[in-house]
Amino acid sequence: MTSTDPWDCIIVGGGPAGSTAAIYLARFLRSVLLVDAGDSRAALIPRSHNHPGQHGGIHGAALLSHMRQQAQDLRMPFLEATVTGMRQFPQGVWLACAIACRRSPKPCSMSMRD
């Protein structure tokens, strides 16, 4: 995939739900980009007892870390940014506009097929 190819899916938000969706899509060989600003409310959970495979519960920040590692093991791209808008164009192409945060505060855009 080149930098100008559209993604099959762009997931906005890297919390437990977004990360789970991205991991499953990557396992099914879809080109997926996870865009996350890094401020998931899940990190504030002292102990979640509502996630499969975590007997006795898991701290929210640890859960996010485990899920991020699993995504990295699948070589799934990750963009630390805030999505500021989305727009649909003809032929089923969507354009997501984002502001990269922390490391590189510059605008960027990415596209995906409908």
Side-chain angles (χ1 to χ4, degrees):
M1 179 168 198
T2 69
S3 62
T4 58
D5 289 337
W7 301 93
D8 289 327
C9 186
I10 298 171
I11 306 268
V12 179
S19 294
T20 298
I23 288 166
Y24 273 94
L25 286 165
R27 283 186 174 170
F28 284 99
L29 305 178
R30 300 292 178 218
S31 62
V32 59
L33 175 66
L34 181 62
V35 182
D36 183 58
D39 57 1
S40 174
R41 290 181 292 166
L44 304 175
I45 298 171
R47 183 161 302 279
S48 175
H49 296 278
N50 198 25
H51 201 275
Q54 300 299 323
H55 304 290
I58 185 170
H59 190 276
L63 176 61
L64 293 172
S65 176
H66 291 304
M67 296 184 89
R68 176 70 52 86
Q69 183 59 53
Q70 188 172 358
Q72 289 174 342
D73 292 346
L74 293 167
R75 299 192 185 330
M76 188 183 67
F78 174 81
L79 178 64
E80 189 175 340
T82 299
V83 172
T84 59
M86 302 232 9
R87 182 174 174 196
Q88 185 176 18
F89 289 88
Q91 292 84 34
V93 174
W94 285 81
L95 180 68
C97 300
I99 300 295
C101 51
R102 290 184 186 83
R103 294 186 192 97
S104 175
K106 60 181 182 179
C108 57
S109 65
M110 58 233 107
S111 64
M112 71 176 202
R113 296 178 281 274
D114 193 4

